[in-house]
Amino acid sequence: MLRRLRELRRYPSAIVGVGIIGLLVIVSIYTVLAIPYPEAVRLWRGGPGVWDDNPRNAQPVWFDWFTGDRLPRTIIVTAEDGGVKRIEPLADGRSRVEIVLPFDYAYDRFPTEITLFTRATYDGTTRTRFAATWHTPNGETIPIVTNRALRATDNYYISQDAQLLMKLGVSPEVGLLSAAASGVPPSARSPAKGRYQLVIQTEIAEGAEFDAKLVVYGQVHGLAGTDHRRRDLTVALLWGTPLALVFGLLAAVGSTLSTFCLAGIGTWFGGKVDALFQRITEVNMILPMLPILIMVGQFYSRSLWLMLGMVIALNIFSAGMKTYRAMFLQAKEAPYIEAARAYGAGNFRTIFRYLLPRIVPVLLPTFVMIVPTFVFLEAALAVIGLGDPLLPTWGKIINDAQSQSALYKGMYYWVVEPAVLLMLTGFAFAMVGFALDRVFNPRLRTV
Amino acid sequence: MRGNLAALGRYTIVKVLMLGIAVIVALYLTILIVNMGGKLDDVRRSEIKYEVTLRVNANPETQLMPPSEVNKMIDRLCELEYRRLGLDRPFFVRSFSYLVTALSLSLGRSENLVSDSGSRTVKRIILERLPATLLLFGTANLLIFFTAVTLALAISRKYGSWIDRLVVSLAPTSAAPGWFYGIFLILIFAAVLRVLPWGGMVDAPPPETTVGYAGSLVRHMILPVLAMACGGLLASTYSWRTFFLIYSSEDYVDLAKAKGLSSRAIERRYILRPTLPTIITNFMLMIIAMWMGAIILETVFNWPGLGRLYLQAVNLNDTPVIVGVMVIYGYLLAISVFLLDFIYAIVDPRVRIGAGAKKGV
């Protein structure tokens, strides 16, 4: 058996396949160690605060290669990191706070959004107010807000400020960053490169705190981009790997192995057991698997593990039962089985020690080739919206992308990334399976 | 001859019985799953109660009645409604009456779904969708099947040539299903190149002329058919090729070659003839797959077929439609399987059944 496996080296496709599978396994191990399960669920399901600093629907960073332009990354400036915070005590016990948030802008396109997050802690009920001005590299100063109330937490969406839009004539994220005069349409503008500054001024009471964070959202983010809820797709792509592999492998092991053993037992005992298994198989072959899975997903639970259980259960008495039975019927008559009986081997010893191992070479290629079926089955369920509610899987990314019409809007990365990973997984197992088939199936060897 | 007929009769009856049991079991399982362990009954009861309450409250006569009277009236009307729908009987009893009505093909009326022509009868809804499914999957499957067989026959003749190797090395691409390639094809041909439609069956509004309608239909069918071909053509060509190769290495084929027969004659008489049972089996299996279409492919391409109807029905908890689709599917499947066994028995002399074999028929 091992000698036969070594023959695989003669097939380049098998080597490539094994290589890809190995890579996927390494990625899976890394993912599970680097982003533990609860962390993955938190990152994927998390509420406000988890992804606030990510741009919405951003392309992956390598998208630069296709455009030629340098696309804007997200810039985050805080008083602690890159900014300057000056506190100047006033005569009446209050103090004047000035926060300068500078950033260098060297990209060829405009950002997607600009948001100013402020946090304040203060006693009493009197709220003070703050003003902010925008300084461009050309030395222009644009007052963007003069009198905004301080809140414990405040998100000032600069790019959605209607007054600013009126004043600039174009949307703020374009107007604030472009050198052109007003009246030029956005398509004709290009961003002015250089050092920008946002200056925030306020007066706060004694013992009060004030902090600000400026986020200039880019057009690209991370290795995989982000989705409509600002989630970094890297998390889902990484976590999709172990989930796809585990689902595919467990389903394949569970269904082929159980079918295999039951076929062996049925054939060995023959008679009523065999007849029963045959009838169950015939009924089971009429049961449509996908519709049943859809019903279970819709009416009971969408948990990945329940689906796995259902898939295995529905596949035990599958068409494989008939194929294996035919092989076992032949093997059962072999002289060495008779020899085993002669020395007094029990039923189960004969089945598991002598009968089953004989057919293993035939089982192995089928087993490897059936893995992609289950990987894609899981993806299919997710694509029609029956994916696991908690876990990020590849199919769920495709489902999100479909429901947001990603292809129509030109956000191809959103569909292509999970699809390519699915394809790699599927092809890798299929390539190994086909090669195994040629190695282990003697009738194919000559042709 | 008589014994032969009797054997055939017995064989047929056993087969029909087995398939009948299989259909009943499959259908009963569907009914059990759809019922959600009684949860669906609660949903339906509360829906009925809601409707009855609305109706009673809208009735001007009830405005003057004391609230307790009104509540009694609501309860009475609900009770009547439960009785009318059979909800007062235990589920176990009801499940069998569902089974019997479903098996007798009186599919009843849908709860939420409406057919395009506005009908609520399940039969109409299903009949409206069936042609769409059959058109797409019939075309695609027939095309793929016959292309695969002819291609396989052609390349098995040129074993070892570059095209043979190409098919062998590309066969693993069929590990991905049709819907998956569908997404890629939509990306390329609809999103980037903008030459073919994104999905659906005809343009909106549908073209007036028959020719225009057919043209639009064909344009919408290109991508789904291509997607299915990507997902299945190469793998099935590969397996047919291997199959033909195995058969063409038999001694009798060598003998035929030695006799100097033309390669067409060899193919027809010595390769296709013995492989006919397998070809027919696979053809029937393909037809079986065709009935249900492909739920995901139809969803990806927005094709108004049975598969998408099923998904819509499941999403809307529309029990009668779910059961209806499953019944139709079960029957069609059972008939196909029966025909398969039957044709198989006729074509393959080795499985020719029963007493006849002994007499050397």
Side-chain angles (χ1 to χ4, degrees):
Chain A
M1 178 108 175
L2 277 175
R3 193 174 49 80
R4 290 260 192 100
L5 276 179
R6 249 178 250 129
E7 265 180 56
L8 270 184
R9 277 184 299 188
R10 293 218 321 264
Y11 298 92
S13 65
I15 295 170
V16 174
V18 170
I20 297 174
I21 294 173
L23 212 65
L24 290 170
V25 170
I26 293 171
V27 169
S28 309
I29 294 171
Y30 165 77
T31 309
V32 176
L33 293 180
I35 314 170
Y37 183 89
E39 175 70 5
V41 172
R42 187 187 73 87
L43 282 176
W44 196 243
R45 299 281 299 168
V50 181
W51 327 293
D52 282 353
D53 293 345
N54 291 351
R56 211 183 275 279
N57 290 332
Q59 308 270 4
V61 282
W62 41 265
F63 200 68
D64 271 6
W65 303 340
F66 301 107
T67 56
D69 285 354
R70 213 171 128 65
L71 296 178
R73 271 69 170 162
T74 301
I75 301 167
I76 303 171
V77 211
T78 57
E80 291 84 40
D81 183 19
V84 185
K85 185 174 176 181
R86 276 191 290 269
I87 304 173
E88 194 185 312
L90 292 175
D92 56 351
R94 300 192 305 158
S95 40
R96 170 174 293 148
V97 180
E98 187 186 65
I99 299 176
V100 181
L101 300 172
F103 65 94
D104 287 310
Y105 200 80
Y107 303 109
D108 299 322
R109 307 252 180 111
F110 290 104
T112 46
E113 284 168 85
I114 305 174
T115 306
L116 178 66
F117 298 91
T118 56
R119 270 185 308 127
T121 48
Y122 47 82
D123 304 326
T125 50
T126 46
R127 281 215 206 117
T128 47
R129 298 181 169 267
F130 73 90
T133 48
W134 183 268
H135 302 264
T136 67
N138 317 337
E140 263 185 285
T141 303
I142 307 166
I144 54 174
V145 70
T146 49
N147 201 10
R148 192 176 169 91
L150 273 181
R151 292 192 182 89
T153 52
D154 177 43
N155 303 347
Y156 173 34
Y157 301 104
I158 298 176
S159 39
Q160 286 171 22
D161 190 324
Q163 285 181 340
L164 212 51
L165 175 75
M166 294 273 282
K167 191 157 78 182
L168 295 166
V170 286
S171 49
E173 72 273 14
V174 174
L176 288 176
L177 280 118
S178 65
S182 61
V184 180
S187 53
R189 291 169 182 245
S190 64
K193 293 173 188 174
R195 197 169 182 77
Y196 289 83
Q197 278 187 334
L198 180 73
V199 180
I200 307 154
Q201 285 172 317
T202 187
E203 282 171 9
I204 53 173
E206 203 171 12
E209 284 286 335
F210 179 65
D211 257 313
K213 177 171 78 173
L214 174 71
V215 182
V216 182
Y217 294 100
Q219 290 187 7
V220 293
H221 182 90
L223 278 178
T226 59
D227 67 3
H228 60 302
R229 287 156 82 184
R230 302 180 188 276
R231 293 182 290 197
D232 192 340
L233 289 183
T234 335
V235 178
L237 290 178
L238 282 177
W239 255 94
T241 319
L243 291 175
L245 287 185
V246 163
F247 190 91
L249 284 172
L250 282 185
V253 169
S255 57
T256 43
L257 219 57
S258 52
T259 311
F260 189 61
C261 294
L262 285 177
I265 293 169
T267 325
W268 180 253
F269 288 110
K272 278 185 183 154
V273 186
D274 189 34
L276 179 72
F277 285 176
Q278 290 306 307
R279 296 297 92 76
I280 297 177
T281 308
E282 274 152 24
V283 172
N284 195 51
M285 277 164 78
I286 287 210
L287 287 179
M289 182 162 79
L290 191 60
I292 290 184
L293 288 181
I294 291 174
M295 278 198 289
V296 170
Q298 180 70 21
F299 296 146
Y300 292 93
S301 152
R302 292 175 188 185
S303 151
L304 192 68
W305 313 118
L306 176 80
M307 287 293 171
L308 182 64
M310 285 297 298
V311 168
I312 294 175
L314 285 171
N315 267 300
I316 291 177
F317 289 99
S318 60
M321 188 66 113
K322 301 240 167 200
T323 332
Y324 298 142
R325 180 170 175 267
M327 290 175 192
F328 284 132
L329 278 178
Q330 272 183 357
K332 196 178 156 187
E333 306 302 324
Y336 78 97
I337 301 274
E338 211 170 320
R341 298 294 291 171
Y343 86 72
N347 279 330
F348 282 92
R349 187 179 166 82
T350 322
I351 294 172
F352 287 100
R353 294 279 302 171
Y354 300 105
L355 192 59
L356 295 190
R358 180 159 167 136
I359 316 289
V360 165
V362 188
L363 176 76
L364 200 64
T366 339
F367 164 74
V368 175
M369 273 195 278
I370 210 168
V371 173
T373 321
F374 294 121
V375 172
F376 279 104
L377 180 68
E378 189 273 322
L381 286 173
V383 164
I384 52 175
L386 296 174
D388 190 280
L390 290 178
L391 297 168
T393 63
W394 294 333
K396 275 179 80 181
I397 305 180
I398 299 181
N399 177 237
D400 281 342
Q402 297 274 41
S403 63
Q404 297 291 317
S405 333
L407 289 181
Y408 192 72
K409 292 177 189 159
M411 297 181 280
Y412 304 140
Y413 70 95
W414 202 352
V415 177
V416 171
E417 286 166 1
V420 164
L421 284 173
L422 270 173
M423 200 160 72
L424 271 182
T425 316
F427 288 2
F429 279 102
M431 285 194 290
V432 176
F434 271 82
L436 276 175
D437 203 20
R438 289 159 72 90
V439 171
F440 282 111
N441 212 334
R443 290 191 89 177
L444 295 178
R445 250 206 269 182
T446 47
V447 295
Chain B
M1 195 62 213
R2 257 189 108 79
N4 220 350
L5 262 180
L8 192 71
R10 209 169 45 237
Y11 176 82
T12 315
I13 289 169
V14 170
K15 272 287 157 202
V16 168
L17 253 150
M18 279 316 302
L19 285 168
I21 292 170
V23 170
I24 290 171
V25 170
L27 207 60
Y28 194 67
L29 263 172
T30 311
I31 291 171
L32 283 187
I33 297 174
V34 169
N35 187 53
M36 299 165 77
K39 253 187 272 171
L40 197 71
D41 282 349
D42 295 341
V43 173
R44 286 177 69 190
R45 268 172 217 273
S46 53
E47 271 174 4
I48 291 168
K49 181 138 197 181
Y50 175 72
E51 271 173 31
V52 167
T53 313
L54 276 187
R55 212 167 53 221
V56 168
N57 286 342
N59 188 349
E61 283 173 33
T62 59
Q63 307 289 334
L64 300 169
M65 279 154 72
S68 60
E69 288 284 304
V70 176
N71 280 344
K72 250 184 226 158
M73 189 172 166
I74 290 174
D75 284 346
R76 209 181 57 239
L77 285 172
C78 280
E79 214 44 56
L80 264 177
E81 195 75 350
Y82 295 158
R83 285 254 297 281
R84 187 175 73 81
L85 293 168
L87 282 170
D88 56 335
R89 287 176 299 159
F91 174 71
F92 187 69
V93 179
R94 253 182 308 136
S95 66
F96 285 104
S97 76
Y98 283 156
L99 187 67
V100 172
T101 39
L103 284 174
S104 60
L105 277 181
S106 44
L107 301 175
R109 296 164 73 77
S110 74
E111 284 173 1
N112 299 302
L113 278 165
V114 180
S115 80
D116 291 342
S117 55
S119 169
R120 278 225 160 181
T121 44
V122 174
K123 206 181 277 173
R124 282 270 173 80
I125 297 178
I126 290 176
L127 283 180
E128 206 176 67
R129 300 297 191 100
L130 199 58
T133 291
L134 287 187
L135 176 70
L136 177 60
F137 292 91
T139 318
N141 286 337
L142 288 177
L143 223 80
I144 292 168
F145 183 80
F146 287 109
T147 320
V149 173
T150 16
L151 197 67
L153 208 55
I155 60 174
S156 74
R157 221 179 296 144
K158 293 184 198 148
Y159 163 63
S161 66
W162 65 270
I163 183 151
D164 181 46
R165 282 197 216 155
L166 190 74
V167 168
V168 171
S169 52
L170 285 183
T173 55
S174 293
W179 63 264
F180 181 77
Y181 285 106
I183 291 176
F184 273 103
L185 291 175
I186 290 176
L187 197 161
I188 296 168
F189 291 101
V192 179
L193 299 177
R194 311 230 165 214
V195 286
L196 287 169
W198 294 82
M201 200 164 112
V202 281
D203 290 328
E208 301 273 324
T209 59
T210 321
V211 177
Y213 193 89
S216 160
L217 202 63
V218 168
R219 260 167 54 80
H220 282 79
M221 273 170 64
I222 295 175
L223 285 188
V225 171
L226 207 59
M228 272 186 272
C230 286
L233 182 62
L234 282 176
S236 83
T237 310
Y238 172 79
S239 55
W240 282 123
R241 161 208 172 263
T242 319
F243 187 69
F244 288 140
L245 276 178
I246 289 169
Y247 270 83
S248 56
S249 61
E250 297 277 354
D251 290 340
Y252 56 79
V253 179
D254 286 338
L255 179 69
K257 271 184 205 153
K259 278 201 293 187
L261 287 179
S262 71
S263 61
R264 291 230 161 266
I266 293 177
E267 260 165 28
R268 217 178 38 244
R269 267 185 251 161
Y270 298 99
I271 300 177
L272 282 179
R273 182 64 190 87
T275 52
L276 198 58
T278 321
I279 294 179
I280 289 175
T281 314
N282 278 282
F283 184 75
M284 288 305 283
L285 286 176
M286 180 210 83
I287 287 183
I288 290 169
M290 193 177 81
W291 292 123
M292 196 63 184
I295 295 174
I296 321 282
L297 194 92
E298 286 184 4
T299 313
V300 167
F301 282 102
N302 222 358
W303 190 266
L306 264 190
R308 220 158 65 87
L309 172 72
Y310 178 77
L311 198 61
Q312 283 173 329
V314 170
N315 284 333
L316 290 170
N317 291 351
D318 206 325
T319 323
V321 180
I322 298 174
V323 174
V325 173
M326 293 294 255
V327 174
I328 298 283
Y329 179 60
Y331 272 130
L332 289 177
L333 197 62
I335 294 169
S336 309
V337 171
F338 174 69
L339 280 179
L340 175 66
D341 280 338
F342 209 74
I343 296 173
Y344 206 85
I346 293 170
V347 175
D348 192 343
R350 282 169 303 180
V351 268
R352 211 165 275 171
I353 23 158
K358 267 183 249 154
K359 287 175 198 158
V361 176

